[in-house]
Amino acid sequence: MKRIAVLTSGGDAPGMNAAIRAVVRTGLDKGWEVYGVRHGYAGLIAGNMQPMTARDVGGIIQQGGTILGSARCPEFKTEEGRWQAIRAMNMRGIDALVVIGGNGSQSGAYELSKMGFHVVGVASTIDNDLAGSEMTIGVDTALNIALEAIDRLKVTASSHQRAFMVEVMGRDCGYLALMSGIAGGAEVIVIPEIETTPEEVAQKIRTAYERGKAHALAVVAEGAKYDAEALSKYFAEHRERLGFQVRATTLGHVQRGGAPGAFDRILATRLGAGATRFLEQGGHGCLMGLIKGEIRATPYSEVIGVKKQLDLSLLELSRALEH
Ligand code: ADP
Ligand code: F6P
């Protein structure tokens, strides 16, 4: 019999629970024991893990967040911290670990696998910044939450002929900003991948008014060189010359806390099941991701440190749609 452990790490993402459920139930279905680790790598180091039953993961597929808890754990970045984690798993006879999380968490998983422990990753982050998966768990739900906020802001912006700026998450990746900007019909999209100066943003807003629009909306990625705070400062300093005011809304963690939509529940279920299937076949040291509609395993060496490319032709498209 195989004994595996599962944990969630880093920023939580809607759909993590569906992934935990899939790992636990497909693992049990194979006749394995599945341990749930509390609070990510911190719980792994502390040996905070218990066997889970099918009932423990009942009624969670529709819940955001993670029932196992998540954490950022600096200690895991040290070799000693990771040996401690391996010792804690060895003591319980655990043969393999499933890590559900984003870029940082999978970097940790890669380090663990280089030390000889069998690990499989499940791509889960609202940032969609993991090479090895075209879509990661949580991004679709976060995108829809951002979109709902954008739609609402456009209503009030139009009523007052105002310009609005919405800052979305994504760390260093512009995916959420680009996609919510396109889906929300934004006049300006600012992403970290392409530098946009405050004056360029101001000119685009002015052009929107000149075109007779009732409002102007800028979607700004938190990781952009000029984020919402920097842009607000610039607009305040040049208010008289520009002749308009811009109100800023930072969506922040609101984007992370939603209930997962159908896409994320299904993706999480397929990836979780893919992880146990891969382990059953003797695979490890890989990230399970969505590639061309299929669940595939990509070696960590081809994922970690590899920058995922944004489709920048979509930014060009958004420029054509500004009219
Ligand atoms: P996310 O997984 O959402 O990107 P973080 O970047 O905060 O979140 O990473 C989560 C955790 O993964 C960190 O707190 C740390 O414990 C672990 N981690 C991140 N990078 C590394 C690394 N290079 N080596 C070992 N562990 C890491
Ligand atoms: O990685 C997910 C994410 O939500 C990023 O978009 C954001 O930069 C970061 O986590 C916020 O981290 P914290 O929850 O620690 O504030």
Side-chain angles (χ1 to χ4, degrees):
M1 188 181 75
K2 217 179 177 79
R3 192 174 286 169
I4 65 168
V6 57
L7 62 79
T8 49
S9 166
D12 64 333
M16 276 186 161
N17 280 327
I20 296 168
R21 173 179 176 271
V23 170
V24 171
R25 291 204 176 156
T26 59
L28 294 175
D29 190 55
K30 296 177 199 308
W32 302 350
E33 266 192 291
V34 185
Y35 276 61
V37 182
R38 307 283 307 175
H39 309 300
Y41 291 129
L44 199 63
I45 290 172
N48 189 354
M49 55 191 102
Q50 291 85 32
M52 296 185 84
T53 68
R55 295 286 70 73
D56 290 334
V57 291
I60 64 167
I61 196 168
Q62 72 277 29
Q63 287 175 18
T66 157
I67 58 157
L68 290 175
S70 191
R72 318 255 191 211
C73 173
E75 214 184 329
F76 198 74
K77 290 189 173 176
T78 68
E79 203 175 325
E80 178 43 35
R82 292 193 296 276
W83 279 122
Q84 177 81 26
I86 290 174
R87 280 196 292 273
M89 288 189 283
N90 285 343
M91 265 174 61
R92 289 161 183 82
I94 292 167
D95 328 285
L97 173 70
V98 177
V99 173
I100 303 169
N103 223 325
S105 305
Q106 302 304 341
S107 303
Y110 185 29
E111 292 305 317
L112 201 62
S113 77
K114 284 195 272 187
M115 292 164 76
F117 203 86
H118 287 191
V119 190
V120 172
V122 168
S124 178
T125 165
I126 66 160
D127 301 339
N128 208 24
D129 61 350
L130 262 174
S133 197
E134 285 155 9
M135 289 290 276
T136 53
I137 298 169
V139 68
D140 183 70
T141 303
L143 194 52
N144 279 293
I145 293 168
L147 199 54
E148 193 184 331
I150 287 169
D151 289 347
R152 288 178 186 201
L153 287 169
K154 278 180 97 168
V155 171
T156 173
S158 293
S159 308
H160 291 267
Q161 304 248 310
R162 271 179 180 155
F164 265 86
M165 208 158 42
V166 186
E167 185 179 284
V168 300
M169 278 188 163
R171 202 171 276 184
D172 302 325
C173 176
Y175 183 90
L176 272 181
L178 180 57
M179 296 305 171
S180 59
I182 289 176
E187 276 66 36
V188 193
I189 300 174
V190 182
I191 56 175
E193 289 80 357
I194 303 275
E195 188 177 319
T196 313
T197 65
E199 192 53 35
E200 282 171 318
V201 177
Q203 290 313 321
K204 279 175 179 271
I205 291 173
R206 183 193 300 282
T207 306
Y209 285 125
E210 285 168 2
R211 285 177 172 146
K213 294 196 178 193
H215 65 258
L217 181 89
V219 177
V220 181
E222 66 173 356
K225 180 172 178 191
Y226 298 102
D227 60 8
E229 197 184 329
L231 291 171
S232 294
K233 193 163 167 271
Y234 183 86
F235 296 145
E237 281 166 9
H238 296 82
R239 189 175 156 187
E240 276 186 34
R241 176 176 63 84
L242 294 173
F244 55 78
Q245 273 181 282
V246 182
R247 294 228 178 351
T249 301
T250 297
L251 295 185
H253 293 80
V254 165
Q255 291 156 100
R256 270 201 346 222
F263 181 89
D264 281 323
R265 293 186 202 189
I266 292 165
L267 178 64
T269 301
R270 292 178 72 197
L271 287 177
T276 57
R277 190 171 56 242
F278 189 59
L279 284 171
E280 188 178 34
Q281 292 163 351
H284 58 88
C286 288
L287 178 78
M288 304 308 297
L290 183 72
I291 300 173
K292 294 188 181 7
E294 285 176 15
I295 302 304
R296 296 212 201 136
T298 306
Y300 274 131
S301 56
E302 294 171 27
V303 170
I304 303 305
V306 176
K307 181 123 179 90
K308 186 174 181 179
Q309 297 303 315
L310 260 193
D311 181 358
L312 292 176
S313 70
L314 289 172
L315 194 64
E316 284 307 310
L317 172 61
S318 78
R319 286 182 183 147
L321 296 169
E322 280 165 16
H323 290 268

